[in-house]
Amino acid sequence: MVVVVTAASGNLSERRAALAGRSGWAGLVHNRRVFAIAVFASFGGLLYGYNQGVFSSVLAMSSFRTRMGSAVSNPQTKGWLVAILELGAWLGVLLTGPIADRFSRKYTIVGAVVVFSIGVVVQTAAFQPASIYAGRFITGIGVGSLSMVVPLYNAELSPAEVRGSLVALQQLAITFGIMISFWADYGANFIGGTGDGQTEVAWRLPLALQLIPAITLGVGILFMPFSPRWLINQGRDEEALTVLSNARRLPRENELVQIEYLEIKAQHLFDVEVSREQFPDFQDGGWSSSLRLGIHGYLNLLSNRSLLLRVVIAGAVMFFQQWTGVNAILYYAPTIFQQLGMTGNTTSLLATGVVGIAMFLATIPAVIWIDRLGRKPVLISGAFVMAACHIIIAILTALYFDSWSSHVVAGWVACGLVWLFAIAFGFSWGPCSWIILAEVFPLSARGKGMSVGGSSNWVTPTMLSTIGYKTFIVFGIFSFLGGLFIIYYVPETSGKTLEEMDVVFGDTAHTGAADLVRLGRIHRAIGLDAYHDRNYHRRYEKEEKEG
């Protein structure tokens, strides 16, 4: 998940862009210091992806099945071995917001790494299924937290012109983690042989390897700067200005640094004013008032019709992302390939490794062309390709599930469709769902709206071993419904301004337009208006008169 906050628009953003230079990959090279920090912080994405992929192949290893017995052989308990992590991740996502606001983004990353590592140690040292369940739940809390706070940290630290590329960097880190986890499992599967003589190191080692990037991230992030936005929210303005100056490798007095600093300060003042206006009785700074203020902020998402519509759309998009079946495919990939006629555990693990490569490579063109193509065409095409893959696999499985050896071509077609599914998800619903989540909310409700909408990302189906080929039918139907939902209910958010979002979502209170007027007044109060041109001043004056 990534939070993108823009405190100014129009001519100011154009002026800043002219000063900043190029965007995309060229901009990352130009901003190599913040790029390096973001690459390092994206170890959190690597952990997220690696953890998604590693357990799927562990489930198929003979030594793990021998050690865990009925917990693996029983379809229901096997499903819980997978699902318990998702439950922990859902809890981690919900807890992360207030913790990150209170203790900073980077200390929250440290805490998430500690929790994650405890869970990994418990799993690696497990001798009973209960330890695997407990370890995966604890690890899930860490994974969920990292999936939210790392993109948040990167977004708040990054210059505006490379923020989109850093979102892509996070997504690439996730898919890279998935890819290397599959191949780590494939290599470890040969330790002690692939049959009954396989040693338990074969599954303990891939699990333990997660500790290397985790500890590296947890220790290294302590030497990284705080988020400048968090610093300003804490009243540490001078530190925030220093962080921005160092990130840009420019003097504190430089015009570009000053614009970025004042934009963040304007955003902070904006949030404070909105809070005081909506909830004047909870401004004494006490613990009780802060808690009640947070609760009322979430309730406002439900009481405001326009905001409720945006919550529904954001939550539904994240829900459909999971019900394309991506996590179930990742977790059960070796089992799937065995069911599709791949003979031998080693062969199925090799086929699983191709899934990781396909998804990783497919994410690259999405990074390059998503803004040019728009969100809707990419999501719709991806949904229908995934739906077609699932339905065809379901038909082939229903016809040949007990005779794959006599229908080798059909088996390879089904395997190829699993790989095509990975490609379709990689270029569409993988990156685009998080973008939709970040764009639909007005400025004053974006943080809370994203936390609620994003939590549905962890409502994950894991029933493949229970209903067999029918699972693909279910995933195909949900993928198709996801495409229809995008067509009929989700507007094209690419390039839309805050005011245009009001029209799109039928906001009769014009939340975005009111936000714009408020920002204009704050800009003038702190001196940010000095960087606007005359047309920009006239625009704000017109909005104020009409408001």
Side-chain angles (χ1 to χ4, degrees):
M1 183 200 79
V2 177
V3 179
V4 181
V5 180
T6 305
S9 56
N11 298 94
L12 181 60
S13 62
E14 295 172 5
R15 183 180 182 88
R16 182 187 59 237
L19 292 169
R22 294 173 294 178
S23 60
W25 296 111
L28 290 175
V29 175
H30 178 71
N31 293 279
R32 49 187 172 272
R33 181 170 294 174
V34 70
F35 176 51
I37 294 172
V39 168
F40 183 80
S42 292
F43 269 57
L46 188 149
L47 290 174
Y48 176 18
Y50 186 95
N51 192 269
Q52 273 192 307
V54 71
F55 202 67
S56 64
S57 298
V58 166
L59 284 171
M61 292 184 181
S62 60
S63 59
F64 184 80
R65 295 198 304 266
T66 300
R67 166 60 63 182
M68 298 303 161
S70 62
V72 179
S73 60
N74 185 302
Q76 291 184 342
T77 54
K78 182 179 180 180
W80 272 108
L81 282 174
V82 174
I84 194 70
L85 182 134
E86 315 298 335
L87 181 61
W90 179 76
L91 178 61
V93 168
L94 294 179
L95 293 175
T96 296
I99 292 175
D101 287 341
R102 176 66 179 85
F103 297 105
S104 83
R105 290 26 171 161
K106 79 171 190 176
Y107 288 156
T108 302
I109 291 175
V110 174
V113 166
V114 171
V115 173
F116 177 90
S117 300
I118 292 172
V120 169
V121 170
V122 172
Q123 291 178 75
T124 304
F127 286 91
Q128 299 294 332
S131 297
I132 295 292
Y133 287 122
R136 283 185 59 76
F137 179 76
I138 296 170
T139 300
I141 295 175
V143 167
S145 181
L146 288 170
S147 74
M148 297 291 289
V149 72
V150 169
L152 176 61
Y153 176 78
N154 281 348
E156 292 188 344
L157 184 66
S158 305
E161 71 272 13
V162 295
R163 189 168 291 135
S165 295
L166 292 177
V167 172
L169 183 66
Q170 170 74 3
Q171 184 64 27
L172 281 174
I174 293 172
T175 55
F176 182 70
I178 293 171
M179 181 178 66
I180 63 174
S181 73
F182 287 156
W183 291 105
D185 280 338
Y186 177 73
N189 185 57
F190 290 98
I191 299 177
T194 59
D196 294 337
Q198 185 182 66
T199 69
E200 293 191 351
V201 176
W203 62 268
R204 296 186 191 274
L205 179 60
L207 293 178
L209 287 176
Q210 299 174 91
L211 292 173
I212 297 176
I215 294 173
T216 302
L217 174 62
V219 174
I221 199 69
L222 294 173
F223 299 93
M224 303 298 154
F226 288 100
S227 157
R229 175 173 169 77
W230 181 83
L231 287 171
I232 288 179
N233 284 349
Q234 301 300 309
R236 296 158 63 175
D237 292 11
E238 289 300 311
E239 291 181 63
L241 184 57
T242 299
V243 169
L244 291 170
S245 174
N246 291 338
R248 282 290 195 183
R249 297 183 299 143
L250 293 170
R252 289 159 58 100
E253 299 77 17
N254 181 271
E255 181 178 0
L256 178 59
V257 174
Q258 286 293 319
I259 288 176
E260 291 183 345
Y261 165 72
L262 291 174
E263 282 183 320
I264 297 173
K265 188 167 182 64
Q267 175 65 57
H268 169 63
L269 294 174
F270 175 90
D271 292 340
V272 170
E273 282 198 13
V274 169
S275 176
R276 288 175 179 170
E277 181 179 288
Q278 293 182 344
F279 311 106
D281 297 331
F282 308 130
Q283 302 299 322
D284 58 17
W287 181 88
S288 177
S289 294
S290 297
L291 177 61
R292 295 166 71 184
L293 186 63
I295 293 173
H296 279 280
Y298 281 105
L299 291 176
N300 190 47
L301 295 173
L302 304 178
S303 60
N304 182 299
R305 182 180 178 277
S306 175
L307 293 181
L308 177 59
L309 176 61
R310 304 181 204 205
V311 168
V312 170
I313 287 178
V317 168
M318 301 308 294
F319 172 83
F320 280 119
Q321 184 203 50
Q322 284 304 311
W323 280 83
T324 62
V326 61
N327 274 2
I329 296 295
L330 292 175
Y331 286 132
Y332 290 110
T335 303
I336 292 171
F337 287 117
Q338 288 175 356
Q339 291 177 350
L340 296 180
M342 288 278 187
T343 58
N345 187 48
T346 301
T347 304
S348 67
L349 291 180
L350 180 62
T352 300
V354 177
V355 172
I357 294 176
M359 190 174 294
F360 173 72
L361 294 178
T363 306
I364 297 175
V367 170
I368 300 172
W369 292 309
I370 183 61
D371 289 317
R372 182 181 302 175
L373 296 176
R375 309 335 180 200
K376 291 189 66 169
V378 173
L379 287 168
I380 293 168
S381 61
F384 290 157
V385 170
M386 289 186 292
C389 291
H390 282 311
I391 296 303
I392 296 174
I393 292 173
I395 293 172
L396 292 174
T397 304
L399 292 174
Y400 307 122
F401 73 95
D402 58 351
S403 59
W404 286 115
S405 59
S406 303
H407 301 87
V408 177
V409 174
W412 277 106
V413 169
C415 293
L417 288 170
V418 174
W419 296 329
L420 179 59
F421 165 85
I423 293 172
F425 182 86
F427 82 76
S428 61
W429 285 76
C432 281
S433 299
W434 293 103
I435 297 174
I436 291 290
L437 179 66
E439 290 178 334
V440 298
F441 295 101
L443 201 56
S444 56
R446 186 166 297 153
K448 291 181 175 62
M450 288 183 65
S451 68
V452 174
S455 65
S456 67
N457 181 248
W458 296 101
V459 181
T460 305
T462 54
M463 69 294 194
L464 187 131
S465 59
T466 304
I467 62 176
Y469 79 90
K470 295 180 182 178
T471 300
F472 293 106
I473 296 178
V474 172
F475 291 157
I477 291 173
F478 273 103
S479 297
F480 184 75
L481 291 176
L484 293 180
F485 182 81
I486 298 297
I487 291 174
Y488 293 108
Y489 296 104
V490 178
E492 177 57 68
T493 56
S494 177
K496 291 287 191 294
T497 65
L498 203 60
E499 310 92 278
E500 291 171 332
M501 286 295 178
D502 286 342
V503 177
V504 169
F505 289 100
D507 185 356
T508 57
H510 301 294
T511 303
D515 288 350
L516 183 64
V517 173
R518 190 190 306 274
L519 276 174
R521 177 168 46 77
I522 291 173
H523 286 184
R524 289 191 290 275
I526 65 176
L528 187 56
D529 64 326
Y531 299 98
H532 293 303
D533 64 14
R534 292 181 180 178
N535 291 331
Y536 194 71
H537 285 294
R538 293 194 189 105
R539 180 186 176 200
Y540 273 128
E541 290 171 0
K542 180 180 178 182
E543 292 285 353
E544 284 185 322
K545 291 178 181 178
E546 291 179 353

